Amino acid sequence: MSIRRSAPLFVPLLWLSLSHLNGAAESKLSQTFDRLIARSGVGKSELGLKVSTLGESSLQHAFDLNSDVQMIPASVTKIATASAALRRLGPSYKVQTTLVSSGTVENKVLLGNLVLRGAGDPGFVSESLWFLVNEFSRSGVEKIQGDLLVDDSAFDTVRYDPTRDPGRVDRAYDSPVGAMSLNWNAINIYIRPGPKVGAPLIVQLDPARDYYTLSNKTKTVAGSKNSVQVSRVGKTVLVRGDLGSQASELVVYKNVDDPVDWAGHNLQDFLKQRGIVVTGKVKSGRAPASAKVLARVDSKPVALAVADMLKFSNNFVAEMLTKMMAVQNGSQPGTMEAGMAVVQNHLVKDLNLRPAEFKILNPSGLSRNNRLSAEALTNILIQAQRNFPTFAELLAGLPLAGLDGTLRRRMKSADTAGWIRAKTGNLNGVVSLAGIAGRKDGSISAFAFIFNGKAAKAEAARGLFDHMASELVQ
């Protein structure tokens, strides 16, 4: 009986005790964050910060500073894109890239065009193309009496969405987008010292050795000096400068200018390596309705594409996934506008964000016109955590502090490495970090840190965010 009489008193007392402890923890975190901000030299007015702890007996709102202010989020925008892709497409969703033809085969000769038909696979790489060509080669065809057509009609032909920053560069982060894309529409340039001092550097282009002209104006020097510069102008890759004989191999990634031509010529090269002769030319074209599938290859599931996007902050994958969502939602062809409507609908309908809380025009964050508040970002993470079918994939896709992706060189101490999974963001005068921090007691916190200010303070803001995130795992 005594137990029954004391029970109603015990529960409120326990709740009061937990509330007191949580309040003390919140106060301590606020004091620590205030001290770190003051020490960093970053002004509070330049920051939007939010920490929410997830769990039945944990803090719900641990820290808040300007969290409702809409700010330029940079690449943490990809968290919203990832959430939408996982929810609307599904973690296991795949598309197929195919080789098709309406021609006939006679005496090992395909009489007609061979069509490479893309469906928007963001992870279609050389290995995928090699698999496709190998499957086709088993048909016994040794000659194609026709052209190689590349069909990328699943998406529109807008290669650089106008919501991106308008200045074009040759770096891989600014690659064009197309339904038939290869190697993230970028070429790899490998550079290593020559056989002796004074010799040109050894420069190799991969893939499609004949697609680009190499201009090698380099020299091997003593030591480990590196003054190498690489640029792509049209179909010419220009490499200049010196590299020390003791230096390690360099790898540089440059975007391509025409996804269709790029994919088609690589197909031609791979067919040649398998001994298959093509009499015609590489062209853009649509597969006829009568075309039959001769070879096919599945994409990676969306969950792995999302990981590619988040781990390496891949802008190309973000835009490809967005157009893929457009197609899956009925847009023919897939457009950025239709895909962004899916993302925005997901944020409002699935995650209960208010339209006034965000303005996302570009899915990668490669735009100064996007707006997200720290509170909206944490809400996306909180709502994602409550959706069991997709949260594990979102969490697995985020970079691991001190271990991989864009966080591999940050927060490397034994106390934090692996305990923080977060997306980074960087533009001129913009630094952001948002994700999940875990604790050894099993609780987790969703956090979002955004800095919008002078570019000279960007490094200080980055260091501040690392220190703040590290405090969340204590």
PDB file of all heavy atoms in Angstrom, residues 430-446:
ATOM      1  N   VAL A 430      30.076  33.041 -46.479  1.00  0.00           N
ATOM      2  CA  VAL A 430      29.073  32.125 -45.918  1.00  0.00           C
ATOM      3  C   VAL A 430      29.772  30.857 -45.423  1.00  0.00           C
ATOM      4  O   VAL A 430      30.547  30.251 -46.168  1.00  0.00           O
ATOM      5  CB  VAL A 430      28.002  31.734 -46.950  1.00  0.00           C
ATOM      6  CG1 VAL A 430      26.991  30.758 -46.337  1.00  0.00           C
ATOM      7  CG2 VAL A 430      27.300  32.965 -47.493  1.00  0.00           C
ATOM      8  N   VAL A 431      29.501  30.477 -44.184  1.00  0.00           N
ATOM      9  CA  VAL A 431      29.982  29.212 -43.633  1.00  0.00           C
ATOM     10  C   VAL A 431      28.813  28.571 -42.901  1.00  0.00           C
ATOM     11  O   VAL A 431      28.083  29.252 -42.177  1.00  0.00           O
ATOM     12  CB  VAL A 431      31.159  29.411 -42.653  1.00  0.00           C
ATOM     13  CG1 VAL A 431      31.580  28.084 -42.032  1.00  0.00           C
ATOM     14  CG2 VAL A 431      32.344  30.068 -43.348  1.00  0.00           C
ATOM     15  N   SER A 432      28.622  27.271 -43.101  1.00  0.00           N
ATOM     16  CA  SER A 432      27.524  26.595 -42.416  1.00  0.00           C
ATOM     17  C   SER A 432      27.917  25.173 -42.045  1.00  0.00           C
ATOM     18  O   SER A 432      28.792  24.568 -42.670  1.00  0.00           O
ATOM     19  CB  SER A 432      26.255  26.605 -43.276  1.00  0.00           C
ATOM     20  OG  SER A 432      26.514  26.127 -44.583  1.00  0.00           O
ATOM     21  N   LEU A 433      27.250  24.674 -41.022  1.00  0.00           N
ATOM     22  CA  LEU A 433      27.454  23.299 -40.564  1.00  0.00           C
ATOM     23  C   LEU A 433      26.155  22.851 -39.911  1.00  0.00           C
ATOM     24  O   LEU A 433      25.649  23.524 -39.007  1.00  0.00           O
ATOM     25  CB  LEU A 433      28.603  23.223 -39.555  1.00  0.00           C
ATOM     26  CG  LEU A 433      29.001  21.822 -39.064  1.00  0.00           C
ATOM     27  CD1 LEU A 433      29.676  21.029 -40.189  1.00  0.00           C
ATOM     28  CD2 LEU A 433      29.950  21.923 -37.864  1.00  0.00           C
ATOM     29  N   ALA A 434      25.606  21.736 -40.366  1.00  0.00           N
ATOM     30  CA  ALA A 434      24.335  21.261 -39.808  1.00  0.00           C
ATOM     31  C   ALA A 434      24.304  19.747 -39.835  1.00  0.00           C
ATOM     32  O   ALA A 434      24.765  19.127 -40.794  1.00  0.00           O
ATOM     33  CB  ALA A 434      23.148  21.832 -40.601  1.00  0.00           C
ATOM     34  N   GLY A 435      23.774  19.154 -38.764  1.00  0.00           N
ATOM     35  CA  GLY A 435      23.714  17.703 -38.731  1.00  0.00           C
ATOM     36  C   GLY A 435      23.290  17.174 -37.382  1.00  0.00           C
ATOM     37  O   GLY A 435      22.512  17.812 -36.652  1.00  0.00           O
ATOM     38  N   ILE A 436      23.831  16.013 -37.039  1.00  0.00           N
ATOM     39  CA  ILE A 436      23.474  15.287 -35.829  1.00  0.00           C
ATOM     40  C   ILE A 436      24.727  15.012 -35.011  1.00  0.00           C
ATOM     41  O   ILE A 436      25.737  14.557 -35.551  1.00  0.00           O
ATOM     42  CB  ILE A 436      22.795  13.946 -36.170  1.00  0.00           C
ATOM     43  CG1 ILE A 436      21.549  14.164 -37.031  1.00  0.00           C
ATOM     44  CG2 ILE A 436      22.451  13.167 -34.902  1.00  0.00           C
ATOM     45  CD1 ILE A 436      20.388  14.799 -36.323  1.00  0.00           C
ATOM     46  N   ALA A 437      24.646  15.271 -33.702  1.00  0.00           N
ATOM     47  CA  ALA A 437      25.732  14.941 -32.770  1.00  0.00           C
ATOM     48  C   ALA A 437      25.227  13.892 -31.798  1.00  0.00           C
ATOM     49  O   ALA A 437      24.116  14.016 -31.260  1.00  0.00           O
ATOM     50  CB  ALA A 437      26.195  16.188 -32.012  1.00  0.00           C
ATOM     51  N   GLY A 438      26.005  12.859 -31.565  1.00  0.00           N
ATOM     52  CA  GLY A 438      25.619  11.801 -30.643  1.00  0.00           C
ATOM     53  C   GLY A 438      26.394  11.877 -29.342  1.00  0.00           C
ATOM     54  O   GLY A 438      27.484  12.452 -29.285  1.00  0.00           O
ATOM     55  N   ARG A 439      25.809  11.299 -28.314  1.00  0.00           N
ATOM     56  CA  ARG A 439      26.486  11.214 -27.013  1.00  0.00           C
ATOM     57  C   ARG A 439      26.541   9.757 -26.579  1.00  0.00           C
ATOM     58  O   ARG A 439      25.744   8.927 -27.012  1.00  0.00           O
ATOM     59  CB  ARG A 439      25.735  12.033 -25.954  1.00  0.00           C
ATOM     60  CG  ARG A 439      25.687  13.518 -26.211  1.00  0.00           C
ATOM     61  CD  ARG A 439      25.074  14.247 -25.002  1.00  0.00           C
ATOM     62  NE  ARG A 439      24.860  15.648 -25.299  1.00  0.00           N
ATOM     63  CZ  ARG A 439      23.749  16.114 -25.874  1.00  0.00           C
ATOM     64  NH1 ARG A 439      22.769  15.279 -26.210  1.00  0.00           N
ATOM     65  NH2 ARG A 439      23.607  17.403 -26.130  1.00  0.00           N
ATOM     66  N   LYS A 440      27.470   9.487 -25.694  1.00  0.00           N
ATOM     67  CA  LYS A 440      27.638   8.112 -25.236  1.00  0.00           C
ATOM     68  C   LYS A 440      26.461   7.630 -24.391  1.00  0.00           C
ATOM     69  O   LYS A 440      26.312   6.430 -24.165  1.00  0.00           O
ATOM     70  CB  LYS A 440      28.952   7.978 -24.467  1.00  0.00           C
ATOM     71  CG  LYS A 440      30.179   8.152 -25.357  1.00  0.00           C
ATOM     72  CD  LYS A 440      31.471   7.980 -24.592  1.00  0.00           C
ATOM     73  CE  LYS A 440      32.672   8.013 -25.534  1.00  0.00           C
ATOM     74  NZ  LYS A 440      32.849   9.270 -26.224  1.00  0.00           N
ATOM     75  N   ASP A 441      25.617   8.561 -23.900  1.00  0.00           N
ATOM     76  CA  ASP A 441      24.440   8.129 -23.145  1.00  0.00           C
ATOM     77  C   ASP A 441      23.280   7.743 -24.060  1.00  0.00           C
ATOM     78  O   ASP A 441      22.202   7.365 -23.601  1.00  0.00           O
ATOM     79  CB  ASP A 441      23.995   9.216 -22.154  1.00  0.00           C
ATOM     80  CG  ASP A 441      23.481  10.477 -22.851  1.00  0.00           C
ATOM     81  OD1 ASP A 441      23.399  10.504 -24.097  1.00  0.00           O
ATOM     82  OD2 ASP A 441      23.165  11.455 -22.136  1.00  0.00           O
ATOM     83  N   GLY A 442      23.496   7.830 -25.380  1.00  0.00           N
ATOM     84  CA  GLY A 442      22.483   7.419 -26.342  1.00  0.00           C
ATOM     85  C   GLY A 442      21.630   8.538 -26.900  1.00  0.00           C
ATOM     86  O   GLY A 442      20.902   8.332 -27.864  1.00  0.00           O
ATOM     87  N   SER A 443      21.696   9.728 -26.314  1.00  0.00           N
ATOM     88  CA  SER A 443      20.904  10.851 -26.822  1.00  0.00           C
ATOM     89  C   SER A 443      21.601  11.481 -28.020  1.00  0.00           C
ATOM     90  O   SER A 443      22.819  11.345 -28.199  1.00  0.00           O
ATOM     91  CB  SER A 443      20.698  11.897 -25.728  1.00  0.00           C
ATOM     92  OG  SER A 443      21.937  12.431 -25.306  1.00  0.00           O
ATOM     93  N   ILE A 444      20.832  12.156 -28.853  1.00  0.00           N
ATOM     94  CA  ILE A 444      21.390  12.838 -30.017  1.00  0.00           C
ATOM     95  C   ILE A 444      20.817  14.244 -30.113  1.00  0.00           C
ATOM     96  O   ILE A 444      19.711  14.506 -29.640  1.00  0.00           O
ATOM     97  CB  ILE A 444      21.121  12.072 -31.325  1.00  0.00           C
ATOM     98  CG1 ILE A 444      19.625  11.915 -31.571  1.00  0.00           C
ATOM     99  CG2 ILE A 444      21.819  10.726 -31.320  1.00  0.00           C
ATOM    100  CD1 ILE A 444      19.294  11.262 -32.905  1.00  0.00           C
ATOM    101  N   SER A 445      21.584  15.132 -30.727  1.00  0.00           N
ATOM    102  CA  SER A 445      21.149  16.516 -30.917  1.00  0.00           C
ATOM    103  C   SER A 445      21.198  16.878 -32.389  1.00  0.00           C
ATOM    104  O   SER A 445      22.161  16.552 -33.093  1.00  0.00           O
ATOM    105  CB  SER A 445      22.039  17.483 -30.134  1.00  0.00           C
ATOM    106  OG  SER A 445      21.885  17.309 -28.754  1.00  0.00           O
ATOM    107  N   ALA A 446      20.155  17.555 -32.851  1.00  0.00           N
ATOM    108  CA  ALA A 446      20.160  18.149 -34.181  1.00  0.00           C
ATOM    109  C   ALA A 446      20.631  19.591 -34.032  1.00  0.00           C
ATOM    110  O   ALA A 446      20.211  20.299 -33.118  1.00  0.00           O
ATOM    111  CB  ALA A 446      18.763  18.117 -34.784  1.00  0.00           C
TER     112      ALA A 446
END
